[in-house]
Every structure is written in C-alpha cells, then in structure tokens.
Amino acid sequence: MPYDDCPPPTRRARPLSVAAALAAVCLTAAGCGGGPETGEAGGASPRPGADATTSAAPTPTGKQPLPKGPLTGRTVVIDPGHNPGNRDHTREINQQVDIGTGRKECDTTGTATNDGYAEARFTLDVSHRLRALLEAEGARVRLTHDADRPFGPCIDERARIGNEAKADAVVSVHADGSAVGNRGFHVILPDEVKGGGADTSKIVKSSADLGARIAGHFARTTGSAPSNYIGGNTGLDTRDDLGGLNLSTVPKVFVECGNMRDPKDAALLTAASWRQKAAQGLADGIAGYLKG
C-alpha cells in the first residue's frame, strides 16, 4: 500500500504507448500469469505474526567492493514502503508534510495479511533480495531506510533521498490492502504534476518506460497476473496524488506486489520462494530499463 496513498475518486487512463510497452514485454514471456489496492491510507495494521516461510534475507554488502557488471556505474534507490516502527509512532507519522500540490501525512503503518504479516516486513524482505540481485550486476544501491530508524522516513524525505542520489531509477516496494477477490500486482506511474515544489514533467515518460518494463518482467517471473481491480488489466496505474512521486526529479514508480487481504495473494506474499521471484522480476525490469 503506497505510504501516502489516498484512493482518488477516479482513475486516469494509461497512455496507449505505456500499455503497448507492457504488452510487448508480455508477448516475449511465457505468458503473463493468471491471477495478485493501494492500501496506503489505512489505519494501524495488526501486529506482525510469525512468518513460517521467511528465510534470511541477504545481508548488506555495502563495505565490499561491487562486482563489475552490466549495471556498473548506475545508481538505484529502493524505497521499502512503510517502517515496522511506524505503529509505535503514530503521532509522528500523522504529522502533515508538503507534497508540492498539498499536504499529507508523513507516513502510514501500511497493511497486513489476516494472519498479521505486516506490509513493512514484506517490503524490507523483498528490498533486501532486490538489492542483492542488483548489486550482483554492478549497480550501486541505496535503501531509503532499513528499519534502522524509529519511524519513517516521511514521504518528502523518501523522494529527496532518490533525488540527492541522482538515481537512475527509484522503485518503491509495496503490497496492497484491498478487498477479498481483488488480486494481482500493479505499478503506479507519476502523472504530470506541477505545483508548489512538485514538477514531474521531466520524469513522466521515463517513469512510464521503467514501470512498463517492471510490469512485464514481474508478470513473467512471478506468474502473477496484472491487477483485476486497478489499471484495466494492464498492471499500470497513473496517479497525481502521491507525494513520493510528485516530489521526485528522477524516474520513479511504486510497485504493489499483490493484495495482502486476499487469501490467495497472501499465500504468495508470505512465501519466501515467491518473494525471491518478486525481487527477480523487479530486478529484471529495472535492468531492462537501465540497459535501454
């Protein structure tokens, strides 16, 4: 669930070129899968329960020299949605911050499965796996946080981290909290927004390319289908109300990997083997974008 997400009254249609790009990637795959909302604005999520299928995520490799690879010289910022400590700092995360076109809460707690597996735990796990895969290809990777702070960072700071890193790509990892029966993944793209400190005019096209590539590879690698409730079965959704996108000056997308409140999607999201596939799909999409 995007950390500054409030579902808008209507959904904008995706540009045809973006949908076509997604279709092109899917046509080269062994099918786009069959079946996992943007739950950013929810209340406190249940306390995380034990995740029986969790395996140890790769540890940071920042002190080791990066291997040479096809992504050498490229910088990727991974933004794990929410923070496990947010639930203990509701006053702080409810503080309003400027998102250029208005004001929103600093952050939210995120959602969780019915068994209590928190979105914040999911996003960190997938982000660790994704970092390891990208670093193996030579990319310089930075996380906006690693549960190494009491709460946050706030949505404006998350955008600023990517901007200051002059990232070649930023991906915000999330999982949704929608109704049972709503399944599949979707990638949120920035709409063209200009107001206050927000101006996405220079990143709309590049972000759409990044998002389409991720959507295609994610479908192929995980076997999950594009969302059946957002994006018109394209797996792509354009938004103008997310501070994390509005304030970005570098190509950036949000990825909702599935719906934590649907039992079938939850079974995937809580499985370590599927999370590794999710990380691989993200990595392949990012790499495809960076290689051009």
Side-chain angles (χ1 to χ4, degrees):
M1 127 181 336
Y3 46 76
D4 56 342
D5 172 28
C6 292
T10 58
R11 297 285 181 178
R12 292 180 174 233
R14 273 65 51 201
L16 180 59
S17 58
V18 175
L22 171 61
V25 177
C26 286
L27 285 173
T28 65
C32 279
E37 156 189 328
T38 329
E40 159 76 57
S45 57
R47 292 280 174 180
D51 177 16
T53 56
T54 297
S55 63
T59 55
T61 58
K63 293 185 179 180
Q64 302 173 1
L66 292 172
K68 296 293 183 181
L71 300 185
T72 296
R74 312 309 292 269
T75 298
V76 179
V77 170
I78 304 171
D79 180 25
H82 314 287
N83 181 323
N86 280 0
R87 65 168 44 83
D88 299 319
H89 295 273
T90 54
R91 182 179 62 82
E92 291 90 344
I93 67 170
N94 283 333
Q95 294 295 314
Q96 299 276 306
V97 298
D98 189 351
I99 66 166
T101 57
R103 299 185 68 81
K104 271 194 171 181
E105 292 81 2
C106 158
D107 203 349
T108 70
T109 60
T111 189
T113 66
N114 292 333
D115 290 334
Y117 180 51
E119 179 187 1
R121 290 179 60 199
F122 169 83
T123 63
L124 274 174
D125 183 85
V126 172
S127 295
H128 289 159
R129 297 170 188 274
L130 175 57
R131 174 175 59 188
L133 292 168
L134 292 172
E135 287 184 341
E137 292 200 60
R140 181 185 301 107
V141 181
R142 179 176 179 184
L143 269 61
T144 58
H145 77 95
D146 201 1
D148 51 356
R149 52 192 294 167
F151 64 92
C154 294
I155 56 179
D156 55 344
E157 183 182 353
R158 290 176 187 256
R160 189 161 59 249
I161 290 170
N163 297 344
E164 292 177 350
K166 295 181 171 56
D168 296 293
V170 183
V171 175
S172 190
V173 181
H174 287 271
D176 209 0
S178 189
V180 173
N182 288 344
R183 300 196 61 200
F185 73 90
H186 64 278
V187 183
I188 305 175
L189 315 174
D191 201 354
E192 188 158 344
V193 171
K194 189 167 186 179
D199 183 356
T200 62
S201 58
K202 294 181 180 180
I203 67 164
V204 168
K205 184 176 180 180
S206 55
S207 297
D209 184 16
L210 172 63
R213 290 176 184 268
I214 287 176
H217 284 284
F218 194 90
R220 177 179 64 183
T221 305
T222 64
S224 293
S227 169
N228 63 6
Y229 61 105
I230 288 177
N233 296 314
T234 67
L236 302 171
D237 185 40
T238 302
R239 300 279 295 269
D240 62 5
D241 62 326
L242 300 179
L245 296 180
N246 289 357
L247 297 174
S248 184
T249 59
V250 294
K252 182 174 182 178
V253 298
F254 283 37
V255 181
E256 295 284 357
C257 296
N259 177 19
M260 300 195 96
R261 308 303 268 181
D262 177 83
K264 292 181 179 179
D265 267 12
L268 300 176
L269 298 167
T270 55
S273 59
W274 188 89
R275 293 198 298 273
Q276 186 64 32
K277 292 179 182 179
Q280 187 67 63
L282 294 171
D284 290 346
I286 294 168
Y289 167 75
L290 294 178
K291 294 172 186 176

